[in-house]
Amino acid sequence: MSITASVGFGGKNTVPDTRLVQAMINPHAATLGIDQLEVDGDCGPLTRGGIKRYQQVFLKMAHPDSRVDPGGQTFLHMANNPAPAGVVVSASRLPVKLKAGDFLQLPVVMDPADGTVQDAYTAFEYEIFDKGARMVGNDYAFGVPNEIEVWPNAQVRIGVTLTPALLAHEQFHYDVGFVVCRALAHQLTIARAPTIAGLVSQLNSLVELHINKRVKLIQRRYDIDTQHGLNAKYQRIWLDRMTACLANPAANQIGGFWL
């Protein structure tokens, strides 16, 4: 891993070299007291300021030059000090447990998976924050620490009482969103690519696999087995499976289905 020419004030500032320096600074943004840099290859004032701040904080330079030179002190320090160990992408959610106030009341509630009218329907929303990129060896990786935020999209038909049994059924649908996003976060933590474009491509592929495919398979199987919560036997089986899954932060399956 190296740069071909100087980056920063008075540097040649080629796009590949600038991207590399930006990605090497980003894991330390919180320590430096700066915002994450956009890894765009444009050596503007924020990037030059990030280099200067890096030199001040880590190299204790009395007169920082805001430039990273090939084989120079600043570059060598960056190359030898990647993101702190144990920093990951994780998942969180609010609320954890659904309550009646979390449901939007509608005159008609329909399950879009099979077009049937239901008493209640619960899906989830999520957001993956752009924390820039970082370097791991010669590859780009997602910026850390990062957190996928999950929240419910819950509906109940007007006049329907959210009984404990119905609420438990809807809670499972919401829990699926959380455990799948948790598994997605593990994959984003270890994702690597030689280019920024490759890393973005991995992100899109992982979201398609986990969110658009695996979530739908699990939710559909759950509703078929439990008859939308009417089959008490299978409802209990699936709830027990979810309890075990939630208790294991490293879980990547539930009931034989990949998360």
Side-chain angles (χ1 to χ4, degrees):
M1 176 174 61
S2 184
I3 54 177
T4 62
S6 296
V7 174
F9 183 76
K12 188 173 182 180
N13 298 326
T14 67
V15 170
D17 287 342
T18 302
R19 281 179 172 167
L20 179 57
V21 169
Q22 290 167 331
M24 295 171 80
I25 290 174
N26 274 341
H28 308 283
T31 301
L32 299 176
I34 63 173
D35 292 332
Q36 293 278 338
L37 299 174
E38 185 174 353
V39 186
D40 58 3
D42 179 14
C43 191
L46 294 180
T47 298
R48 294 194 298 272
I51 296 170
K52 180 179 180 179
R53 184 65 180 154
Y54 190 100
Q55 292 172 329
Q56 290 173 327
V57 172
F58 292 117
L59 302 177
K60 309 300 181 185
M61 288 185 177
H63 303 288
D65 58 11
S66 302
R67 190 177 67 247
V68 182
D69 297 314
Q73 182 184 12
T74 303
F75 181 81
L76 291 176
H77 192 278
M78 289 178 172
N80 291 322
N81 292 274
V87 179
V88 298
V89 182
S90 58
S92 67
R93 58 175 171 166
L94 280 176
V96 174
K97 290 293 184 181
L98 294 176
K99 57 185 183 301
D102 296 317
F103 287 78
L104 176 65
Q105 294 194 14
L106 296 174
V108 177
V109 174
M110 183 176 294
D111 184 343
D114 57 16
T116 58
V117 176
Q118 299 294 328
D119 287 340
Y121 170 79
T122 301
F124 70 97
E125 306 291 340
Y126 70 98
E127 184 170 4
I128 303 174
F129 295 95
D130 184 358
K131 290 293 186 72
R134 60 189 169 102
M135 293 304 298
V136 178
N138 292 321
D139 291 325
Y140 289 98
F142 289 99
V144 291
N146 203 345
E147 193 169 62
I148 303 175
E149 290 190 359
V150 181
W151 63 95
N153 176 5
Q155 305 169 5
V156 63
R157 183 161 52 84
I158 294 173
V160 169
T161 300
L162 281 165
T163 63
L166 180 56
L167 197 57
H169 181 78
E170 299 306 313
Q171 178 71 42
F172 182 95
H173 283 298
Y174 179 45
D175 288 343
V176 168
F178 172 67
V179 296
V180 169
C181 282
R182 190 176 63 179
L184 171 60
H186 294 329
Q187 294 303 308
L188 294 181
T189 299
I190 63 176
R192 305 286 185 267
T195 64
I196 293 294
L199 194 62
V200 172
S201 178
Q202 283 201 38
L203 170 63
N204 293 335
S205 296
L206 287 168
V207 168
E208 175 66 23
L209 174 64
H210 291 272
I211 304 297
N212 296 334
K213 291 184 178 179
R214 292 181 174 175
V215 165
K216 291 178 180 178
L217 287 172
I218 297 169
Q219 303 282 37
R220 181 64 177 147
R221 185 74 257 169
Y222 169 64
D223 274 336
I224 290 174
D225 286 352
T226 66
Q227 296 177 298
H228 290 280
L230 298 178
N231 188 315
K233 174 184 176 181
Y234 278 98
Q235 178 74 21
R236 174 45 52 196
I237 289 173
W238 275 102
L239 291 181
D240 287 345
R241 289 171 176 172
M242 180 58 77
T243 297
C245 184
L246 287 168
N248 179 10
N252 58 14
Q253 292 187 36
I254 180 171
F257 287 85
W258 290 98
L259 298 175

